[in-house]
PDB file of all heavy atoms in Angstrom:
ATOM      1  N   PRO A 687      -3.062  -4.709  33.536  1.00 86.00           N
ATOM      2  CA  PRO A 687      -1.810  -5.041  34.230  1.00 86.00           C
ATOM      3  C   PRO A 687      -0.549  -4.807  33.403  1.00 86.00           C
ATOM      4  O   PRO A 687       0.279  -5.692  33.236  1.00 86.00           O
ATOM      5  CB  PRO A 687      -2.002  -6.533  34.549  1.00 86.00           C
ATOM      6  CG  PRO A 687      -2.828  -7.047  33.434  1.00 86.00           C
ATOM      7  CD  PRO A 687      -3.779  -5.933  33.108  1.00 86.00           C
ATOM      8  N   PHE A 688      -0.405  -3.581  32.880  1.00 91.00           N
ATOM      9  CA  PHE A 688       0.777  -3.246  32.097  1.00 91.00           C
ATOM     10  C   PHE A 688       1.481  -2.064  32.766  1.00 91.00           C
ATOM     11  O   PHE A 688       0.854  -1.027  33.019  1.00 91.00           O
ATOM     12  CB  PHE A 688       0.398  -2.879  30.653  1.00 91.00           C
ATOM     13  CG  PHE A 688      -0.335  -3.976  29.939  1.00 91.00           C
ATOM     14  CD1 PHE A 688      -1.552  -3.718  29.321  1.00 91.00           C
ATOM     15  CD2 PHE A 688       0.172  -5.264  29.896  1.00 91.00           C
ATOM     16  CE1 PHE A 688      -2.236  -4.721  28.649  1.00 91.00           C
ATOM     17  CE2 PHE A 688      -0.503  -6.276  29.235  1.00 91.00           C
ATOM     18  CZ  PHE A 688      -1.714  -6.012  28.624  1.00 91.00           C
ATOM     19  N   LYS A 689       2.760  -2.216  33.020  1.00 90.00           N
ATOM     20  CA  LYS A 689       3.527  -1.194  33.724  1.00 90.00           C
ATOM     21  C   LYS A 689       4.233  -0.277  32.731  1.00 90.00           C
ATOM     22  O   LYS A 689       4.448  -0.620  31.571  1.00 90.00           O
ATOM     23  CB  LYS A 689       4.532  -1.847  34.665  1.00 90.00           C
ATOM     24  CG  LYS A 689       3.864  -2.726  35.736  1.00 90.00           C
ATOM     25  CD  LYS A 689       4.889  -3.301  36.694  1.00 90.00           C
ATOM     26  CE  LYS A 689       4.230  -4.222  37.724  1.00 90.00           C
ATOM     27  NZ  LYS A 689       3.269  -3.489  38.566  1.00 90.00           N
ATOM     28  N   HIS A 690       4.597   0.895  33.226  1.00 91.00           N
ATOM     29  CA  HIS A 690       5.208   1.920  32.384  1.00 91.00           C
ATOM     30  C   HIS A 690       6.424   1.381  31.633  1.00 91.00           C
ATOM     31  O   HIS A 690       6.581   1.599  30.424  1.00 91.00           O
ATOM     32  CB  HIS A 690       5.603   3.105  33.277  1.00 91.00           C
ATOM     33  CG  HIS A 690       6.089   4.308  32.529  1.00 91.00           C
ATOM     34  ND1 HIS A 690       5.541   4.741  31.353  1.00 91.00           N
ATOM     35  CD2 HIS A 690       7.118   5.181  32.800  1.00 91.00           C
ATOM     36  CE1 HIS A 690       6.182   5.831  30.933  1.00 91.00           C
ATOM     37  NE2 HIS A 690       7.139   6.102  31.793  1.00 91.00           N
ATOM     38  N   GLU A 691       7.283   0.639  32.328  1.00 94.00           N
ATOM     39  CA  GLU A 691       8.489   0.124  31.678  1.00 94.00           C
ATOM     40  C   GLU A 691       8.173  -0.952  30.643  1.00 94.00           C
ATOM     41  O   GLU A 691       8.956  -1.197  29.720  1.00 94.00           O
ATOM     42  CB  GLU A 691       9.486  -0.406  32.705  1.00 94.00           C
ATOM     43  CG  GLU A 691       8.959  -1.484  33.624  1.00 94.00           C
ATOM     44  CD  GLU A 691       8.335  -0.937  34.903  1.00 94.00           C
ATOM     45  OE1 GLU A 691       7.921   0.257  34.911  1.00 94.00           O
ATOM     46  OE2 GLU A 691       8.278  -1.686  35.888  1.00 94.00           O
ATOM     47  N   ASP A 692       6.998  -1.620  30.773  1.00 95.00           N
ATOM     48  CA  ASP A 692       6.599  -2.619  29.771  1.00 95.00           C
ATOM     49  C   ASP A 692       6.518  -1.991  28.381  1.00 95.00           C
ATOM     50  O   ASP A 692       6.875  -2.621  27.380  1.00 95.00           O
ATOM     51  CB  ASP A 692       5.228  -3.219  30.116  1.00 95.00           C
ATOM     52  CG  ASP A 692       5.279  -4.174  31.296  1.00 95.00           C
ATOM     53  OD1 ASP A 692       6.379  -4.644  31.629  1.00 95.00           O
ATOM     54  OD2 ASP A 692       4.209  -4.449  31.871  1.00 95.00           O
ATOM     55  N   TYR A 693       6.028  -0.757  28.340  1.00 96.00           N
ATOM     56  CA  TYR A 693       5.864  -0.086  27.049  1.00 96.00           C
ATOM     57  C   TYR A 693       7.208   0.069  26.349  1.00 96.00           C
ATOM     58  O   TYR A 693       7.338  -0.209  25.144  1.00 96.00           O
ATOM     59  CB  TYR A 693       5.221   1.282  27.258  1.00 96.00           C
ATOM     60  CG  TYR A 693       4.888   2.004  25.980  1.00 96.00           C
ATOM     61  CD1 TYR A 693       3.657   1.822  25.360  1.00 96.00           C
ATOM     62  CD2 TYR A 693       5.808   2.866  25.370  1.00 96.00           C
ATOM     63  CE1 TYR A 693       3.338   2.482  24.171  1.00 96.00           C
ATOM     64  CE2 TYR A 693       5.496   3.526  24.183  1.00 96.00           C
ATOM     65  CZ  TYR A 693       4.263   3.323  23.594  1.00 96.00           C
ATOM     66  OH  TYR A 693       3.958   3.962  22.429  1.00 96.00           O
ATOM     67  N   TYR A 694       8.213   0.494  27.102  1.00 96.00           N
ATOM     68  CA  TYR A 694       9.502   0.789  26.478  1.00 96.00           C
ATOM     69  C   TYR A 694      10.316  -0.476  26.220  1.00 96.00           C
ATOM     70  O   TYR A 694      11.133  -0.504  25.292  1.00 96.00           O
ATOM     71  CB  TYR A 694      10.243   1.819  27.321  1.00 96.00           C
ATOM     72  CG  TYR A 694       9.507   3.137  27.269  1.00 96.00           C
ATOM     73  CD1 TYR A 694       8.577   3.482  28.249  1.00 96.00           C
ATOM     74  CD2 TYR A 694       9.658   3.992  26.183  1.00 96.00           C
ATOM     75  CE1 TYR A 694       7.848   4.655  28.167  1.00 96.00           C
ATOM     76  CE2 TYR A 694       8.931   5.180  26.093  1.00 96.00           C
ATOM     77  CZ  TYR A 694       8.024   5.497  27.080  1.00 96.00           C
ATOM     78  OH  TYR A 694       7.291   6.651  26.966  1.00 96.00           O
ATOM     79  N   ARG A 695      10.071  -1.510  26.996  1.00 96.00           N
ATOM     80  CA  ARG A 695      10.700  -2.791  26.668  1.00 96.00           C
ATOM     81  C   ARG A 695      10.161  -3.303  25.341  1.00 96.00           C
ATOM     82  O   ARG A 695      10.899  -3.824  24.506  1.00 96.00           O
ATOM     83  CB  ARG A 695      10.446  -3.809  27.782  1.00 96.00           C
ATOM     84  CG  ARG A 695      11.139  -3.481  29.118  1.00 96.00           C
ATOM     85  CD  ARG A 695      10.848  -4.537  30.160  1.00 96.00           C
ATOM     86  NE  ARG A 695      11.503  -5.796  29.837  1.00 96.00           N
ATOM     87  CZ  ARG A 695      10.964  -6.997  30.018  1.00 96.00           C
ATOM     88  NH1 ARG A 695       9.727  -7.092  30.503  1.00 96.00           N
ATOM     89  NH2 ARG A 695      11.633  -8.076  29.727  1.00 96.00           N
ATOM     90  N   PHE A 696       8.860  -3.128  25.122  1.00 97.00           N
ATOM     91  CA  PHE A 696       8.291  -3.548  23.842  1.00 97.00           C
ATOM     92  C   PHE A 696       8.725  -2.601  22.725  1.00 97.00           C
ATOM     93  O   PHE A 696       9.009  -3.038  21.604  1.00 97.00           O
ATOM     94  CB  PHE A 696       6.760  -3.585  23.934  1.00 97.00           C
ATOM     95  CG  PHE A 696       6.119  -4.323  22.801  1.00 97.00           C
ATOM     96  CD1 PHE A 696       5.928  -5.695  22.860  1.00 97.00           C
ATOM     97  CD2 PHE A 696       5.720  -3.656  21.649  1.00 97.00           C
ATOM     98  CE1 PHE A 696       5.358  -6.396  21.804  1.00 97.00           C
ATOM     99  CE2 PHE A 696       5.143  -4.338  20.580  1.00 97.00           C
ATOM    100  CZ  PHE A 696       4.968  -5.720  20.664  1.00 97.00           C
ATOM    101  N   LEU A 697       8.800  -1.307  23.012  1.00 97.00           N
ATOM    102  CA  LEU A 697       9.242  -0.345  22.012  1.00 97.00           C
ATOM    103  C   LEU A 697      10.650  -0.664  21.520  1.00 97.00           C
ATOM    104  O   LEU A 697      10.987  -0.411  20.355  1.00 97.00           O
ATOM    105  CB  LEU A 697       9.173   1.074  22.590  1.00 97.00           C
ATOM    106  CG  LEU A 697       9.541   2.228  21.650  1.00 97.00           C
ATOM    107  CD1 LEU A 697       8.604   3.417  21.883  1.00 97.00           C
ATOM    108  CD2 LEU A 697      10.982   2.688  21.839  1.00 97.00           C
ATOM    109  N   ALA A 698      11.472  -1.258  22.392  1.00 96.00           N
ATOM    110  CA  ALA A 698      12.848  -1.581  22.006  1.00 96.00           C
ATOM    111  C   ALA A 698      12.896  -2.544  20.823  1.00 96.00           C
ATOM    112  O   ALA A 698      13.856  -2.544  20.048  1.00 96.00           O
ATOM    113  CB  ALA A 698      13.595  -2.178  23.205  1.00 96.00           C
ATOM    114  N   PHE A 699      11.857  -3.390  20.652  1.00 97.00           N
ATOM    115  CA  PHE A 699      11.813  -4.276  19.487  1.00 97.00           C
ATOM    116  C   PHE A 699      11.770  -3.481  18.181  1.00 97.00           C
ATOM    117  O   PHE A 699      12.284  -3.914  17.151  1.00 97.00           O
ATOM    118  CB  PHE A 699      10.556  -5.162  19.533  1.00 97.00           C
ATOM    119  CG  PHE A 699      10.589  -6.261  20.553  1.00 97.00           C
ATOM    120  CD1 PHE A 699       9.633  -6.318  21.558  1.00 97.00           C
ATOM    121  CD2 PHE A 699      11.554  -7.248  20.506  1.00 97.00           C
ATOM    122  CE1 PHE A 699       9.634  -7.339  22.489  1.00 97.00           C
ATOM    123  CE2 PHE A 699      11.567  -8.277  21.433  1.00 97.00           C
ATOM    124  CZ  PHE A 699      10.603  -8.323  22.434  1.00 97.00           C
TER     125      PHE A 699
END
Side-chain angles (χ1 to χ4, degrees):
F688 302 127
K689 299 183 182 298
H690 187 39
E691 57 270 22
D692 287 342
Y693 185 89
Y694 293 94
R695 293 180 69 219
F696 195 87
L697 183 141
F699 287 120

